[in-house]
Amino acid sequence: MLVPMTKVRLIARRGSLDRLLEELHRLGLVEIAEPPAGVALESLEGEELRTERRDELRLLLAEVDSLLALLPHPVPARDEDSDPVAGAVDTAAVRGLLAQLQPEVVRLTERLDRLHDEQVVLPR
């Protein structure tokens, strides 16, 4: 049975491209042809943007972790490699929410500390 072919573009790191092509050839799922002479391999743009985004997300994560550390009961440790949020993260919205929550969390933590101090001082 003949099946119409669809052109695909493979994107891989240069170091894993040979391994990818060998695996596709072994599976027999695609026909591999040389690209036309006019098509040049281009590097993916935006390394600087990805680095900035990664740094911004790490900063947000540190802020969230510092707020969670203020909780009276420890939060279970998370797996560093897991992605707790599916999809893209709106960092501006998260930063705005953190800005709203942080003063309230600090205020409640201080109140809780005062209550603990009062409990120690009060007679049973």
Side-chain angles (χ1 to χ4, degrees):
M1 176 169 88
L2 292 176
V3 177
M5 289 198 286
T6 303
K7 289 184 179 181
V8 296
R9 179 179 289 188
L10 303 175
I11 300 175
R13 292 189 169 139
R14 290 188 192 272
S16 39
L17 184 60
D18 289 335
R19 196 171 60 235
L20 172 69
L21 293 174
E22 287 173 9
E23 187 66 22
L24 289 173
H25 179 70
R26 185 185 70 75
L27 292 172
L29 296 175
V30 295
E31 178 181 333
I32 300 173
E34 289 294 320
V39 176
L41 293 177
E42 301 171 2
S43 64
L44 294 175
E45 298 295 324
E47 178 63 31
E48 184 176 313
L49 292 174
R50 287 190 299 277
T51 301
E52 287 177 19
R53 176 83 170 161
R54 182 179 55 239
D55 292 344
E56 183 179 15
L57 290 173
R58 284 183 178 158
L59 179 62
L60 280 176
L61 182 60
E63 289 180 30
V64 169
D65 284 343
S66 68
L67 282 176
L68 290 175
L70 294 174
L71 293 175
H73 302 290
V75 177
R78 60 182 171 73
D79 182 13
E80 292 293 328
D81 294 331
S82 69
D83 187 4
V85 178
V89 175
D90 182 359
T91 55
V94 172
R95 189 166 302 286
L97 184 59
L98 284 175
Q100 290 175 352
L101 289 175
Q102 189 171 13
E104 185 68 13
V105 169
V106 170
R107 186 185 67 76
L108 290 172
T109 303
E110 290 170 352
R111 182 171 179 220
L112 186 61
D113 288 342
R114 286 192 307 271
L115 288 172
H116 284 300
D117 293 344
E118 189 175 326
Q119 182 182 16
V120 170
V121 175
L122 288 176
R124 298 274 173 194

